[in-house]
Amino acid sequence: MSLDIMPPLMFGGLVIFLLLGFPVAFSLCAVGLFFGFLSIELGFFTMAYLGNLPLRVFGILSNDLLLAIPFFTLMGAILERCGLAEDLLEGTGQLFGKIPGGLAYAVILVGAVLGAITGTVAASVIAMGMISLPIMIRYGYDMRIATGVIAASGTITQLIPPSLVLIVLGDQLGKSVGDMYAGAIGPSILQILLFIGFIAVVSIVAPHKMPPLPPEALMPRGWPLYRRVLKGMVPSIALIFLVLGTIFMGLATPTEAGAMGAVGAMLLAMMNGTFSWKLLRQAMGNTMRLTAMVIYILIGATVFSLVFQGVDGSHWVEHLLSHLPGGQTGFLIFVNVFIFFLAFFLDFFEIAFIVVPLLAPVATKLDIDLIWFGVLLCINLQTSFMHPPFGFALFYLRSIAPKSVLTKDIYLGAIPWLCLQLVLVAIVIYWPETVTFFLDRGTGVDPASVTIEVPPPPPVDDDAVPVFR
Amino acid sequence: MSVTQVPAGEGVMDLLLAFSRGVDWVNEKFGRLADWCILLACAISAGNALSRYGFNISSNAWLEVQWYLFAAVVMLGASYTLFRNEHVRVDLLYGWMSDRGRLYVDIFGLILFLLPAMILLTWMTWPFFLDSLMRNEGSASPGGLLRWPAKLLLPLGFFLLLLQGLSELIKRVALLRGPVQGVAVVTEYQRPEQ
C-alpha cells in the first residue's frame, strides 16, 4: 500500500462511519487511531509521532480561548430563562406596532440585540416564536413572512459577536477572537439592513401581508410603555457593553469578558426576580454537557488530523484545491458552495473542527486574509440553520409553533431569507472591505520599510579611564 | 429526557446490570462535580479580570486554575454526557432508523469505536501523567501550579468514558433481549441546542 492512497482512504472511511450515526467525537478518535496504527505498521510514521497525541489533547484543555465556550454558553443559558427576551419583544413590538411590518422590524432588532448578548440560535428562535408568532398570526400577518422573519432573526446571533462560531473559527484559523469579532461587525450590520430592507420592500409591495396593529391592540404611548422598553433595553445594552466593550477596548480577553457576562447575566436575573437555584443548576448542567460534547469533538478531530497530517493529508487536500480555476475568488466560491451543502448534514462544530483546518493552509497560500475567510465561513454556516428540511432554526420554530402553522409554510417562509444570506455571502466575497474596515490594521506602517537610525556613539577619548555605566 | 426502564434479566445479566448501575452512579457524581467546576471557573475568571484592573493584582496560579477547571469540566463531564446520549451524531440516516436499528448502531459503535479508542487513549495518556508526577513538573510561568493534577484528568477522563461505554453497551444488549428493570437508559436522541 502506498502513502498516496492513505488520505483519501482515511477521509472516505470517516465519511462512511460518520453517516452511520454513532457520536462524531468517538468515530473521529477511532478512525484516527485505526489509521494511525495501520500507518505505523506500514512504516509511514513511527510510534513516537503518535506519541504527540497526549500533548495535543492537553493543549486543547489548557487553551484559555476555548474556555470562553462554557462562559458564553452559561451566559446564554441563564439569559434565555430570565425573561429578558419577553420584555424586549413586547416593548419594541408595541413601539413599532403602528407601522406596516412593525412587528417584523421589532423581531429583527430584538434578534440582533439578543444575538449580541446570548449567542444561541435556539434561545432566540424559541423566545421570539413563543411571544411574537402568536401576535403576528392574530393580527393577520402572512404565515410565511411571520415564520421566516423569526427563524432568520434568530440566526443573526451566529454572526454577531460574541458568537461561539467566531471563537471556534478564530481558534482553528489561528487568529485572535478580538479580530474575528471586529471583522464580523460590518457583515452583521449589513445583514440586519438587508433583513430590514426586505421587510420594507414587502410592506410596500404587499402591505396586506404585514398589517399594522389595530388601535385596540396598541398600548397608549406614555411611561408604562417606555418603562417596559427601557426595562429590556438598558440591561441588554449594559451587558453588551460589559462583554463586547471590554473586548474591543482591550480591557479583557474574550474569556474574561464571557465570565463577566455570565456573572452579569446572573445579576440581571436577580434584578428581574427570575433568578432561582433551579435555574442556575439547569443552566450549569446544560452548559457542562454542551462543553464536554463540543470539546470532545475537538479532541476527536485532533486525533484524526494528527494522523491525517502524518500521512500527508494536507498535501492531498492542497493538491485537490489549488488547481481550481479563478484563483482566490474561484477558491472562495468553491469552498462556500461546498460548505453550504456540507451544512445540510453536518453541524458547525464538525465543519469547524474537521473541514476548516484542511482549508486554512490553502487559503493562506492563496493569500486570503484569514479573518475575512473566517467571517465568510461564519455567514455561510449561518445558512445551515435555515435550510429546509434540516435547518435547526426551522426545527426549533416547528417545535413551539401552534398546530395552525403548517410545516410547509415554515419551509417556504425560510427560502427568501436563505437567499438574503447568500446575497450577503456574495457581497462579502466581492467587497472584503466589509470585513477589513473594522479591523484595527496596526500602525499602517510596513515593517519592511522601517529603517532604524541610531546616532553614532559620542567619540570617546581613548586614553580616558573606562567607565562602566 | 426519556428514560426507558429495562427489566431484570437472569444470572450474568443481573451482575452486568449491577455493574452498569454502579458506573452510572459514579459518572453522575462526576457530572455533578463538572457542573460546579463551570461556576467556579466563571467566578474565578471574572474575579481575575476585576482584580487585574481594580487592584492591579494578577497571579499566574489563579489564571491557571481557570483552565484546570475547564479541563475538569470536559474530562469529568463527558461520561455523564454519554449517559444522557448528548454527544452529537450525524443523524441523516440515524434519524430514520427504527429503535432496534439504533440499538445495533450503538452496539456496533461502542464495541468498534468507543471502547478501543478509549482503551488506547487511557493507555497513551497514563505515562504522560506519570512522567509529570515523577518529575514533579511545575508550570513554565512563575507562581504557576503543579502540572500533574491537570494531566491526571486525561487518563481519568478517558477511563471514566471507557466505563460508561461498557455500561451503555451492557444496557443496550439487555434492551435487545427484551425490557429490563432497575437501570436508566436514554435511547432517545436529540441534537443539542446551539
Side-chain angles (χ1 to χ4, degrees), chain A residues 376-450:
Chain A
L376 202 54
L377 291 184
C378 182
I379 307 170
N380 195 333
L381 287 175
Q382 209 181 13
T383 60
S384 71
F385 283 84
M386 296 288 288
H387 296 152
F390 299 117
F392 258 123
L394 309 182
F395 178 72
Y396 295 136
L397 193 60
R398 176 67 278 175
S399 66
I400 48 110
K403 286 270 183 308
S404 61
V405 179
L406 300 177
T407 304
K408 189 181 81 179
D409 285 334
I410 296 182
Y411 289 168
L412 290 176
I415 290 170
W417 304 90
L418 193 55
C419 295
L420 287 178
Q421 285 173 331
L422 291 178
V423 168
L424 185 62
V425 172
I427 292 177
V428 175
I429 290 184
Y430 284 99
W431 288 282
E433 294 79 14
T434 48
V435 173
T436 52
F437 180 77
F438 289 92
L439 285 180
D440 183 13
R441 280 267 157 235
T443 54
V445 178
D446 179 8
S449 70
V450 176

Side-chain angles (χ1 to χ4, degrees), chain B residues 148-190:
Chain B
W148 67 261
K151 292 194 170 174
L152 173 62
L153 287 168
L154 271 70
L156 177 63
F158 290 131
F159 183 67
L160 287 174
L161 206 47
L162 172 63
L163 288 181
Q164 192 62 43
L166 279 174
S167 161
E168 297 301 317
L169 179 63
I170 292 168
K171 289 185 285 186
R172 279 167 173 72
V173 170
L175 269 182
L176 272 187
R177 291 156 47 111
V180 201
Q181 261 163 21
V183 279
V185 199
V186 184
T187 47
E188 189 181 86
Y189 172 70
Q190 274 189 341

Side-chain angles (χ1 to χ4, degrees), chain A residues 104-140:
Chain A
Y105 295 125
V107 164
I108 296 173
L109 290 179
V110 172
V113 171
L114 286 179
I117 47 179
T118 64
T120 53
V121 173
S124 300
V125 171
I126 289 172
M128 297 196 289
M130 304 257 270
I131 302 158
S132 298
L133 188 58
I135 306 177
M136 289 169 128
I137 295 172
R138 192 178 329 139
Y139 295 112

Side-chain angles (χ1 to χ4, degrees), chain A residues 204-427:
Chain A
I204 293 165
V205 179
H208 60 277
K209 288 191 169 183
M210 40 179 80
L213 287 181
E216 67 272 15
L218 285 171
M219 274 167 80
R221 310 271 117 173
W223 272 112
L225 172 59
Y226 298 141
R227 194 174 314 130
R228 183 99 214 228
V229 176
L230 288 178
K231 192 178 162 219
M233 276 297 175
V234 171
S236 313
I237 289 170
L239 267 183
I240 293 175
F241 176 78
L242 180 69
V243 174
L244 292 183
T246 49
I247 297 177
F248 286 140
M249 294 188 332
L251 292 178
T253 62
T255 308
E256 290 165 344
M260 289 193 292
V263 173
M266 277 181 240
L267 292 178
L268 196 139
M270 283 173 194
M271 287 192 313
N272 266 9
T274 42
F275 186 83
S276 70
W277 199 231
K278 197 175 146 228
L279 178 149
L280 182 63
R281 290 281 310 139
Q282 269 181 359
M284 277 158 57
N286 280 357
T287 307
M288 184 282 278
R289 295 195 300 276
L290 188 98
T291 308
M293 183 275 282
V294 172
I295 303 300
Y296 252 83
I297 298 180
L298 183 52
I299 292 177
T302 305
V303 176
F304 181 84
S305 69
L306 179 72
V307 175
F308 196 67
Q309 301 299 336
V311 295
D312 273 350
S314 51
H315 285 124
W316 176 65
V317 175
E318 219 176 281
H319 185 76
L320 282 183
L321 292 181
S322 56
H323 296 294
L324 292 168
Q328 266 199 10
T329 315
F331 171 76
L332 286 176
I333 292 174
F334 169 80
V335 164
N336 276 290
V337 171
F338 176 61
I339 289 199
F340 180 80
F341 285 106
L342 216 52
F344 273 99
F345 41 90
L346 288 185
D347 294 323
F348 94 81
F349 306 119
E350 288 131 50
I351 294 179
F353 294 144
I354 306 170
V355 182
V356 172
L358 301 178
L359 298 176
V362 187
T364 318
K365 212 157 243 183
L366 286 170
D367 217 13
I368 292 170
D369 183 323
L370 285 185
I371 293 174
W372 174 43
F373 186 60
V375 172
L376 202 54
L377 291 184
C378 182
I379 307 170
N380 195 333
L381 287 175
Q382 209 181 13
T383 60
S384 71
F385 283 84
M386 296 288 288
H387 296 152
F390 299 117
F392 258 123
L394 309 182
F395 178 72
Y396 295 136
L397 193 60
R398 176 67 278 175
S399 66
I400 48 110
K403 286 270 183 308
S404 61
V405 179
L406 300 177
T407 304
K408 189 181 81 179
D409 285 334
I410 296 182
Y411 289 168
L412 290 176
I415 290 170
W417 304 90
L418 193 55
C419 295
L420 287 178
Q421 285 173 331
L422 291 178
V423 168
L424 185 62
V425 172
I427 292 177

